[in-house]
Amino acid sequence: MPDHPAEPWRIKMVEPISTTTREYRERALRAAGWNPCLLRSEDVYIDLFTDSGTNAMSDRQWSALMRGDEAYAGARSFYIFEQAVRAHYGYEHVIPVHQGRGGENILSRCLIRPGTHIPGNMYFPSTRAHQELNGATFHDVIIDEAHNPTCEHPFKGNVDLAKLQAVITEHGATAIPYVSLAATVNMAGGQPISVANLTAACDLAHAHGIPVFLDTARAVENAWFVKQREPGWAHRSVADILLALCSPTDGAVMSAKKDCLANIGGWIALRDPELAEQARGLVLLYEGLHTYGGMAGRDMEAIAQGITESVDEHHIRARVAQIEYLGHRLDTAGVPIIHPAGGHCVCVDATAVLAHLPRTALPGQTLAAAVYLDGGIRGVERGTVSAGRDPATGENRYPPLEFLRLAIPRRVYTQSHIDHVADSLIRVHTHRRTITHGLSFTHEPPHLRFFQARFAPTAGTSIYTT
Ligand code: F0G
C-alpha cells in the first residue's frame, strides 16, 4: 500500500450530496446527450470532472473573504494578492485575470503573430486554442515516455531537448514567440517536469533569444514530486522548490482555481516591465482594471490565503497521497491506468479498457458514460473528443493517449468517497465486454468541443446491448 496519511483537516461545514438510481442516471445522461459535462451537478454523486475551482476553502479563506476591499481601483486586496504571488512564485509584475484562460488570451495576443510556432511539453486545450486563434502552430516536444501509459518515468512532463532544438532549427528562433511549458502536464495525466529539465529547456530557449512561459496551475503539486523524486531536492521545502521551478522562466500564466485552493481567479506574472505594461493594457480591455482583472476583491484575498496553505507540506502530502491511493486500488484490481498516478488525477486508459471498440467510436467518452451510469461518478474524456480537429486539415486528431480523467478536488472528498469511486471503476472494468457500442457526435461545437458536444450510441439506443 502507498503511504496514505489521514486528512490534515476536519470538516466544519457539510454540503449534502445524494445518490440516484441507475434508471434515473440513464434518463439524465440521455438528456445530456451522453456527455457528462452537460449533466446537472445535482445528478452527480462524486464529481471528478475537474479539480478546477472545485476545492474546499479553509476557515481562514472564508474569513479572508470578509476582508475583501471592493474598490474599483487600487484595492487593498490587490496588494495583498500581489505580495503573495511575488513571495511564492518570484515574479515582479503580477496582473490579475478572471481565470487561467483569460491570461492565455492576453499573453497570446501580446506575443503571437500569424505563421509563428510554439513548442511545448504537450498541449492543453484552452492554451493551444488561444495560440491557434492567434495564428500559431503548436509543436509537442515532450519526451516520448509521456505518451506511453505504462512507462514509470518519474518526470513524464520533461521536455525532449532534441525535439525542442529541432523545432528551433526548422522554423528559426524569430518564428518562435515563446516556449510554452507546464508544471505539471495535465494532458499527460498530471505528470511533473524536473527542475533540471525545466532549467535546461530554458537555457536552450534563452540561448536562441526565445522566452519561456510556464503554466503554474499545478506547480505546487509539481514541486512535491520534485521533493520526492529528484536527486538533491529531498531536503528543500516545497515553497523553495516552487520558486526554483519558476526562477529560470520569463513569466507564468496561472489558473488560481487549482493549486491555490480557490474557486475562481488567476494571474499573469512577468519579469519584463514592457511586456507587463502591454499585458495590463489588454487586461483593461478583456478582463477588468489591472488591479482586479475580473475578480472581486474577496477572491484576491481568498487566493492570497490559499497560496500560503498550498505550500504547507501536510496539505500537499495528503492531497497527492489521496490520488496515489485511488491509483493503487485500481492498479491492484487490474484496471489499466496511466503510470505513475499524477498530481491531480488518476487517468484510466480507455483504449485498453474498451480495446474492443475502434477509436472512431470514442472509447474515452464511452467510458465516461459507463462510469456515470454505474456509480454516479463524473469524469472527463481526455482523448479524441478533447483533442478536436486539426485546424489545417479539418480532420479529427487521434492523440496517442485516450483516457478517462478522474480529477480529485482538493480537500473535498473523504477516503470512503474515493473507495466508492474505486469500487465502481473496478465493476465497470470487470464487465467491460457488456459495453458493446461506442458514441458518435450528434452536435460538434468548433472550439473546446468536449464541453458542449452531444453524442448518440453508434448503434441502437445504448452503449449496452439491451
Ligand atoms: N492550464 C492548465 C494546465 C489547465 O489545467 C487549465 C484548466 C487551464 C490552463 C485553464 O485555466 O480553467 O482557469 O481558465 N483546466 C481545467 C481542467 C479546466 O479541468 O483541467 P482556467
Side-chain angles (χ1 to χ4, degrees), residues 49-52 99-102 104 124 126-127 186 215 217-218 255 257-258 265 382 405 451:
F49 185 74
T50 182
D51 62 323
S52 179
Q99 62 179 80
R101 68 200 70 181
E104 290 167 350
F124 183 73
S126 65
T127 319
N186 191 351
D215 184 323
R218 300 181 183 85
S255 167
K257 302 171 72 172
K258 282 87 171 173
R382 286 302 187 215
R405 186 187 74 170
F451 283 129

Side-chain angles (χ1 to χ4, degrees), residues 131-346:
Q131 291 161 352
E132 289 177 349
L133 279 171
N134 284 281
T137 303
F138 179 81
H139 300 267
D140 187 1
V141 295
I142 204 164
I143 56 172
D144 287 340
E145 287 87 339
H147 297 288
N148 177 354
T150 55
C151 168
E152 285 284 354
H153 195 292
F155 290 103
K156 280 172 126 176
N158 278 358
V159 173
D160 182 327
L161 298 172
K163 287 187 196 171
L164 177 57
Q165 180 62 63
V167 175
I168 299 172
T169 307
E170 183 179 351
H171 299 287
T174 53
I176 301 177
Y178 63 94
V179 175
S180 176
L181 298 184
T184 58
V185 180
N186 191 351
M187 298 302 279
Q191 303 293 333
I193 181 170
S194 69
V195 175
N197 180 264
L198 177 55
T199 307
C202 289
D203 288 348
L204 174 55
H206 290 158
H208 293 273
I210 304 168
V212 179
F213 293 97
L214 186 64
D215 184 323
T216 45
R218 300 181 183 85
V220 178
E221 288 162 6
N222 197 111
W224 176 253
F225 285 126
V226 167
K227 188 176 166 89
Q228 303 310 304
R229 299 177 185 172
E230 187 166 354
W233 291 94
H235 301 296
R236 301 287 291 277
S237 70
V238 167
D240 271 359
I241 301 170
L242 179 61
L243 282 169
L245 284 165
C246 296
S247 87
T249 69
D250 300 271
V253 176
M254 180 66 175
S255 167
K257 302 171 72 172
K258 282 87 171 173
D259 272 351
C260 299
L261 299 158
N263 300 125
I264 193 70
W267 66 78
I268 306 169
L270 300 167
R271 302 192 198 285
D272 175 358
E274 279 173 31
L275 179 58
E277 200 48 27
Q278 194 189 347
R280 281 190 202 98
L282 288 182
V283 162
L284 292 176
L285 279 176
Y286 291 104
E287 300 286 306
L289 200 77
H290 61 281
T291 57
Y292 74 86
M295 285 186 280
R298 56 180 170 271
D299 299 328
M300 293 190 278
E301 294 275 353
I303 291 171
Q305 174 62 29
I307 290 174
T308 314
E309 293 176 19
S310 73
V311 294
D312 176 286
E313 305 210 358
H314 298 290
H315 157 70
I316 190 67
R317 175 164 174 262
R319 191 279 183 285
V320 176
Q322 193 177 41
I323 288 136
E324 235 173 74
Y325 173 78
L326 176 58
H328 181 78
R329 278 219 51 203
L330 296 181
D331 221 13
T332 47
V335 180
I337 61 165
I338 296 186
H339 282 255
H344 68 293
C345 61
V346 171

